[in-house]
Amino acid sequence: MAKTTRKKSSPWRDVFHRLKRNKLAMLGLVILILVLLMAVFATVLAPYDYAAQATAEAKQFPSAEHLLGTDNFGRDILSRIMVGSRYTLMIAIACLIGTVLGALAGFYKRLDNLIMRLTDIVMGIPTFMLAISIIAALGTGIKTMMLALCITSTPAFIRIVRAQVLTIKDQEYVEAARSIGAGNLRIMTKHILPNALAPIIVQYTLGAVNLILWAASLSFLGMGVQPPTPEWGLMVSAGRAYLYSEWYMSLIPGLAIIITTYALNLLGDGLRDALDPRLKH
């Protein structure tokens, strides 16, 4: 009699199967993949040089030549949207710092009190006010804005990751790994963090929404990315003066922000449901 082998189903494969049943979450995932591809291959896909000015073609409405129109300097808006996606999505990298600090706080008792007290101080200050204060003190620019957003966004990640690490580090498989001589770094990377990924991923997708909106808001106020860099929030701000006549100059980059954050929200909600242990069969 031939033996039938049944392929074992991994936990992450089960999560993906549950995620696939959520049509809105998959829509968000597809949109984010397209935005990421656009960001990675922006210079190849962009039909024009994003910084090239052509005053003779300034303020043209969307047409076959310029699909999304041109701005007040004659620059192609589609090309600027594509290149600007890099600066908008790059802000989400700030979330990773909170993961590292949270893991250190949960794993090392000596660092726990120091990191958590600093976290409490940061959380006691209104987020946007703190970001503006940092930028006002250090000057405007993409690096300063990244620093400000890193400082203001890490507390939420620190608390979530710390709570997960505190729960997992006392599990039997962690003690077993320690008993056979595994070092702290191996235990952290091979046993603790992989088992703490579920809430981290959900918080990352939802936290990235806030970071993108804060970055766009800071650029809109002139305290983030500076011209001629094509950041979406800055493009919305630049088009304000022409809102009544050339409304597309502000509307199109605004829609790019809305669509990206909406996709992140859809994916985050879907992941939260897919990773919920109560939904496992």
Side-chain angles (χ1 to χ4, degrees), residues 15 69 98 133 162 235 238:
V15 169
S133 300
R162 174 181 177 270
M235 293 175 67

Side-chain angles (χ1 to χ4, degrees), residues 175-205:
E175 294 298 330
R178 197 183 301 276
S179 67
I180 61 175
N184 289 337
L185 180 61
R186 181 175 180 82
I187 291 174
M188 180 74 74
T189 56
K190 297 293 184 180
H191 300 284
I192 294 181
L193 286 180
N195 289 284
L197 276 179
I200 295 174
I201 291 173
V202 174
Q203 179 62 28
Y204 187 90
T205 55

Side-chain angles (χ1 to χ4, degrees), residues 32-95:
L32 286 178
I33 290 174
L34 293 176
V35 173
L36 286 171
L37 290 175
M38 181 176 68
V40 172
F41 300 104
T43 53
V44 178
L45 297 175
Y48 299 92
D49 181 359
Y50 76 91
Q53 300 184 13
T55 53
E57 300 179 356
K59 296 188 286 187
Q60 287 189 4
F61 273 82
S63 62
E65 186 177 0
H66 298 280
L67 295 179
L68 298 182
T70 61
D71 64 8
N72 53 311
F73 292 105
R75 297 173 297 194
D76 183 67
I77 293 178
L78 176 59
S79 301
R80 293 179 64 78
I81 289 288
M82 289 182 172
V83 177
S85 62
R86 292 181 170 181
Y87 301 97
T88 299
L89 291 178
M90 190 166 52
I91 305 303
I93 300 173
C95 301

Side-chain angles (χ1 to χ4, degrees), residues 82-130:
M82 289 182 172
V83 177
S85 62
R86 292 181 170 181
Y87 301 97
T88 299
L89 291 178
M90 190 166 52
I91 305 303
I93 300 173
C95 301
L96 297 176
I97 297 177
T99 301
V100 175
L101 292 177
L104 292 175
F107 196 78
Y108 297 102
K109 291 183 178 179
R110 294 180 179 179
L111 295 176
D112 188 19
N113 191 52
L114 173 62
I115 293 176
M116 294 313 297
R117 296 299 73 78
L118 291 175
T119 300
D120 293 338
I121 293 173
V122 174
M123 293 189 73
I125 305 174
T127 302
F128 205 68
M129 183 183 299
L130 178 59

Side-chain angles (χ1 to χ4, degrees), residues 91 94 97 130-131 134-135 138-139 141-154 211 218:
I91 305 303
I97 297 177
L130 178 59
I134 294 172
I135 294 173
L138 300 180
I142 181 65
K143 293 181 179 179
T144 308
M145 184 177 70
M146 288 278 293
L147 175 63
L149 293 177
C150 284
I151 293 174
T152 55
S153 65
T154 51
L211 286 176
L218 289 170

Side-chain angles (χ1 to χ4, degrees), residues 155-171:
F157 290 90
I158 290 175
R159 286 186 173 276
I160 289 176
V161 177
R162 174 181 177 270
Q164 292 297 312
V165 172
L166 287 174
T167 302
I168 295 172
K169 75 174 185 178
D170 294 327
Q171 297 293 322

